[in-house]
Amino acid sequence: MVMNRIIQHLKSSDHVLLASHLSPDGDAIGSLLAMGIALNALGIRTTLFNESPIPAVYRFLPSVNRIRSRIEDIHLFDTAVILDCGDIIRIGKNADAVQQLPAVVNIDHHITNTRFGQMHLIDTAACATAEIVYRIIKRAGLFIDEALATAIYTGIFTDTGSFRFSNTNKEAFSICDEMVARGADPYTVAKNVYGTYSLGRIKLLNLALDSLEISCNGKLSLMILTRDMFDETGTRSEDVDGMINYGRRIRNVRVAALVQEHMNGRGPEMYPKRYHVSLRSDGSVDVAEIAAHFGGGGHRDAAGFNIESRVGDIRKDLFDLAEKIT
Ligand code: 5GP
Ligand code: MN
C-alpha cells in the first residue's frame, strides 16, 4: 500500500526536506511540524522549510523555531515531502530545485492537486493535510506526545475554521478528541490563533471592510487591500487571514473575493505575481474551478490565485464573473 511504501522510503532516506506553502496557514505549519516530529521519532534526519515568515499567531507552536526560511544546500537532501500544496510552485522560489531531488512525496488534500512528485498521498476528503499526517503517524505506530498533538490539533482546528467549514468531517472531531487526550489544549490554541491580534491588524480590518463592494446581482462581494493599506497599518499578508469571511457572511452572497497586493521587494516575502486573490463560496459555486481558470487552485469552497494585472482589471473580471453566477 502507498502509505507503507512512503514510510519505508522515508526510513531509508538519509536527509528529508519537509516543506509547505507560502503564506502558511495553521494546516501548513501544523502538518510541517507534526511531520518533523514524527520523522525524528523514526530516527530520520529532517530539515523543516517554509519560505515565508511564520505568522505571529502560530509562533506558540512547539518546535516552530526549527522551521528555516532558506535552503542552504539542496544537495543535502535525497527526499522532499511537500505538505498542503496543490502545486509544487506553492513552496516558492525553490520549487524547481526541489523537484529535481531523487524523490518527492506529495501529501495534500486540495482538489486541484497537480500530482507532482513520485509518491502521492492525496485525499480530497481529508479535512486538513494534518488529518493525512495523523494517519501516517498511526500507521507508523508512533507515540503522540503533547507537541505532536498540538500541531495536528492546530492544523485541523484552523483548516476547518474551528469546525465550521464544509470540510468539517467526523475525523476532524475524532482526531481532535484524541489530540486533546494526548495533551493539546483547545483554549491555548484558540487563544493564540484567534485571540492575539496587533492593533494594526484591527485597523487593517477596518480598511478591508471599508473597501467592501457587492456586485450588481448581489452574488459576489469584493474587498481590496493595497500595499499602502499594509504600510499605513504596519501589517502584512498574515494579518489578512480570515478577513474574507466577513464578505462571505453577507446575505445572498455566493462568492466572496479578497484581492491583496503583495509587498514584493519591501519585505522578506517575494511572490511571483503582484496580486493574490482569495475566493470563498457558500457551496453553490465551485471556486476551485474559477481559481484554476486563473492559474491557481484550492478547494471547492476556498481557493485562490496569483495574478499580474491592475487592480481595476481584476475588479472588472470578478464583477463580470459575478453576473454569470446563476
Ligand atoms: P487563500 O485564499 O486563503 O490564500 O487560499 C485558499 C485556498 O486556495 C487554500 O486551500 C490554498 O491552498 C488555495 N490557493 C490559494 N492560492 C493558490 C494558488 O495560487 N494556487 C493554488 N494551486 N492554490 C491556491
Ligand atoms: Mn490545508
Side-chain angles (χ1 to χ4, degrees), residues 87 90 110 112 276-280 295-299 302-306:
D87 191 323
R90 302 262 299 140
H110 292 91
T112 53
H276 179 76
V277 181
S278 295
L279 298 171
R280 301 289 184 272
H299 309 283
F305 61 93
N306 291 285

Side-chain angles (χ1 to χ4, degrees), residues 21 25 27-28 31 84 108-110 127-130 155 159 299:
H21 61 80
D25 52 22
D27 192 26
S31 301
D84 204 36
D108 185 42
H109 68 137
H110 292 91
C127 63
T129 298
D159 240 34
H299 309 283

